[in-house]
Amino acid sequence: MDSPKTDWSHETAAARAWFESLRDRICAEFEAIEREAGSDARFTYTPWDRQHEGEPVENGGGGVQGLMKGRVFEKVGVNVSTVGGAFSKEFAGSINGASAENPGFTATGISLVAHMANPHVPAVHMNTRFLTTSKAWFGGGGDLNPPIPYAEDTAEFHAAYKAACDAHDPAYYPRFKAWADEYFYIPHRKVHRGVGGIFYDHLECADEAGFAANFAFTRDVGEAFLAVFPRLVRRRMGMAFTEADKLQQLQWRGRYAEFNLVYDRGTLFGLKTGGNIDAILMSLPPEAVWS
């Protein structure tokens, strides 16, 4: 029997390269939308290195935070990171394939959150990632967060992800949609964060063939986002809105902030692994109300 694969460095590098290429294409498309709106806003890119208790971690990796504040995208962050090292003993036990005795890990991924100026344009989140401990797996997904929902937009967003899922396994979409509905829920409010999408995790890779299949699916998830979300933005960004519409947006942003600070796994993972604080919290809206 072959020994389990333990060296995933080649696969991690391949995933990182693709996440970075997806970042470049998404940012270019978002900047193009700003040009269409008469804005010259562009992304600024800030590199960072992984730290532990304020000190750099040797060979710990890092990432690049991409941030743009424009006329259409009030605040959008597109971050790519590739980090490695060891989890704290207390945190290791909560991670798939890690333990206090075996706390080593690598993680590479892209994370995007967009908060829009016009309340008719939905906010959105997208993330895909590849992690290794004693196991290796992909996770990710995307969800739509409209302050003013439109059934047409919701249906189109879900259709894009369903097509991506169905190309790989017809069981994926119903399973990952249900997972998103369960995950993106605010228990203390008894409401969902938005209109859902898909969420998946621990899509494990036993060998190179497993990696290839799961990587192909994860790429299709990223491509689905790039295909559908800019269409929704262009459809809604020129609509007139009222003060009441804006207040509704700010109230929903408050709920978004509550979820990310209280329940989101990605926020906790970043804070527990020495990630860049500004990059981790870029998901928070530029303005919100609680009333």
Side-chain angles (χ1 to χ4, degrees), residues 18-19 22 26 77-81 107-114 124-131 137-143 157 161 183-184 193 198-201 217-222 225 256 264-267 269-270 279 282-283:
W18 192 82
F19 294 144
L22 179 63
I26 288 173
V78 187
N79 300 334
V80 172
S81 63
T108 184
I110 179 173
S111 181
L112 177 154
V113 175
V124 75
H125 158 257
M126 188 276 293
N127 166 269
T128 57
R129 57 196 177 271
F130 176 62
L131 294 92
W137 73 96
F138 282 92
D143 65 297
F157 188 79
Y161 277 124
Y183 180 71
F184 295 113
R193 190 173 78 171
I198 63 169
F199 178 83
Y200 64 100
D201 205 3
F217 169 65
T218 295
R219 292 197 303 271
D220 282 351
V221 168
F225 172 83
Y256 194 99
D264 186 65
R265 296 180 192 172
T267 302
F269 184 90
M282 66 86 181
S283 63

Side-chain angles (χ1 to χ4, degrees), residues 222-238:
E223 297 292 351
F225 172 83
L226 181 55
V228 70
F229 184 66
R231 290 204 302 267
L232 305 185
V233 175
R234 290 183 169 100
R235 180 181 298 157
R236 305 293 173 193
M237 69 185 194

Side-chain angles (χ1 to χ4, degrees), residues 84-153:
F87 295 119
S88 68
K89 291 184 177 180
E90 297 77 17
F91 188 57
S94 66
I95 301 297
N96 185 38
S99 64
E101 297 73 30
N102 187 11
F105 77 96
T106 65
T108 184
I110 179 173
S111 181
L112 177 154
V113 175
H115 294 289
M116 314 305 294
N118 189 320
H120 292 289
V121 182
V124 75
H125 158 257
M126 188 276 293
N127 166 269
T128 57
R129 57 196 177 271
F130 176 62
L131 294 92
T132 72
T133 53
S134 65
K135 299 181 179 180
W137 73 96
F138 282 92
D143 65 297
L144 201 65
N145 302 272
I148 303 171
Y150 290 90
E152 176 188 7
D153 296 354

Side-chain angles (χ1 to χ4, degrees), residues 159-232:
Y161 277 124
K162 183 177 186 300
C165 289
D166 287 352
H168 295 266
D169 188 329
Y172 275 180
Y173 176 72
R175 175 185 168 197
F176 297 156
K177 178 186 181 298
W179 201 343
D181 290 341
E182 177 184 0
Y183 180 71
F184 295 113
Y185 182 75
I186 308 172
H188 64 270
R189 295 281 188 185
K190 295 182 171 58
V191 296
H192 289 92
R193 190 173 78 171
V195 296
I198 63 169
F199 178 83
Y200 64 100
D201 205 3
H202 303 159
L203 207 59
E204 294 192 5
C205 311
D207 50 26
E208 287 88 346
F211 172 86
N214 293 335
F215 189 24
F217 169 65
T218 295
R219 292 197 303 271
D220 282 351
V221 168
E223 297 292 351
F225 172 83
L226 181 55
V228 70
F229 184 66
R231 290 204 302 267
L232 305 185

Side-chain angles (χ1 to χ4, degrees), residues 51-74:
Q51 296 187 350
H52 177 68
E53 296 181 349
E55 297 296 325
V57 176
E58 185 175 1
N59 298 319
V64 176
Q65 177 189 13
L67 185 67
M68 181 173 71
K69 297 180 180 179
R71 185 172 296 175
V72 178
F73 294 86
E74 187 171 348

